[in-house]
Amino acid sequence: MQAGSDEGNWREDCAPRRVMEIFATKWTSMILHTLHAQHDGAARNGVLHRSLPGISKKMLVQTLREMEESGLIHRHVENTVPPAVEYSLTPLGIRFVGLVELVYGWGRENADALDQLQVRQTSRRKV
Amino acid sequence: MQAGSDEGNWREDCAPRRVMEIFATKWTSMILHTLHAQHDGAARNGVLHRSLPGISKKMLVQTLREMEESGLIHRHVENTVPPAVEYSLTPLGIRFVGLVELVYGWGRENADALDQLQVRQTSRRKV
DNA sequence: CATGGTGGTTACCTCTTGGTGACTACGTTC
DNA sequence: GAACGTAGTCACCAAGAGGTAACCACCATG
């Protein structure tokens, strides 16, 4: 794309820039991916927790709440004792899974490029 | 991908998770895109500043420094008065441009999905 | 002489992220 | 009775991202 044709619509709220919203919270893309990896696109809290090494209980719940508010996932509470909570992808969530898999796939195929990155561990958000 | 085949190599430093490093700093992907949009893959400080609405002088310089250290861009100082500084994509940077354009392209084609996202403006990193 | 464009640096400040650890409450198992 | 698994909530805290504003030096223009 040439600069001239680009600068006009490269505003602060243009679509390309807004894509980043989905990656703004550390765990969102990983939860989307994990749900998608289940054969029925759904998983319970405990399964998610065990599938995401490094996530804390708090961040898991907090991210799930945000994703529910965003319309990416659905939260279903089973009326059993103890209550079983199942999270599943909404149609919107499934669309974003496409993006996530696109990015993750690029990472798998370009692992050598990632290795070449001289990332300064300070001055960056931990990922 | 099935859960069983996935959980084994889904470690904290796996390639898919490391891809996010490139998006961890707010302006990195936009700078890569802007440089790529120039016909020669290079641009001067002032051009970049004017092409990225909303970026502050400090963040532009800071991000450029980090990208230089990461090996994504090259910084060339012209020995004129006043000195002209030109930033250009390295081969590694060009590889990552591929990823950025992939993501931005998805955003353009799925702008409606982005519109459906009910993003809570609080509790998210500004993008 | 003042302004503006070149390309920065520095101090200061705020907001958010994301972490830990303690606590709840219920039921089953050891 | 104690421990464990279900699914959380809450208070507290540290680190870092990223913003503003002032300042530097140089030169050309009005």
Side-chain angles (χ1 to χ4, degrees), chain B residues 18-51:
Chain B
R18 282 191 301 143
V19 180
M20 294 306 154
E21 292 170 5
I22 206 72
F23 298 124
T25 298
K26 177 175 173 178
W27 297 101
T28 303
S29 66
M30 287 183 259
I31 291 177
L32 286 174
H33 170 85
T34 304
L35 285 177
H36 183 239
Q38 312 302 118
H39 67 296
D40 56 350
R44 295 181 55 177
N45 184 303
V47 172
L48 288 173
H49 198 197
R50 284 185 291 275
S51 301

Side-chain angles (χ1 to χ4, degrees), chain A residues 33-95:
Chain A
H33 169 84
T34 304
L35 284 177
H36 183 238
Q38 312 301 119
H39 67 297
D40 55 350
R44 295 182 52 177
N45 184 303
V47 172
L48 289 172
H49 198 197
R50 283 185 292 275
S51 300
L52 296 167
I55 196 170
S56 65
K57 222 169 192 177
K58 186 194 104 173
M59 286 314 299
L60 177 59
V61 175
Q62 183 175 311
T63 309
L64 288 170
R65 292 286 178 282
E66 290 178 9
M67 293 173 71
E68 193 190 358
E69 287 181 46
S70 300
L72 293 170
I73 59 173
H74 178 67
R75 180 170 181 265
H76 176 69
V77 182
E78 203 70 43
N79 252 344
T80 56
V81 167
V85 181
E86 192 160 67
Y87 296 96
S88 54
L89 291 170
T90 62
L92 186 63
I94 292 173
R95 287 190 69 179

Side-chain angles (χ1 to χ4, degrees), chain B residues 55-83:
Chain B
I55 196 171
S56 68
K57 225 169 188 175
K58 186 194 104 172
M59 285 313 299
L60 177 59
V61 176
Q62 182 176 311
T63 309
L64 287 169
R65 291 285 179 281
E66 290 178 8
M67 292 174 71
E68 193 190 359
E69 287 180 47
S70 300
L72 292 170
I73 59 173
H74 179 68
R75 180 171 181 265
H76 177 69
V77 183
E78 203 69 41
N79 253 344
T80 56
V81 167

Side-chain angles (χ1 to χ4, degrees), chain B residues 2 8 10 12 19 23 25 31 39 53 56 70 74 76 80 86 88 93 101 103 106 111 114-115 117 121-123 127:
Chain B
Q2 295 303 307
W10 186 252
E12 303 215 26
V19 180
F23 298 124
T25 298
I31 291 177
H39 67 296
S56 68
S70 300
H74 179 68
H76 177 69
T80 56
E86 191 160 68
S88 54
E101 297 302 327
V103 172
W106 189 96
L114 292 168
D115 289 335
L117 258 195
Q121 286 307 332
T122 51
S123 95
V127 176

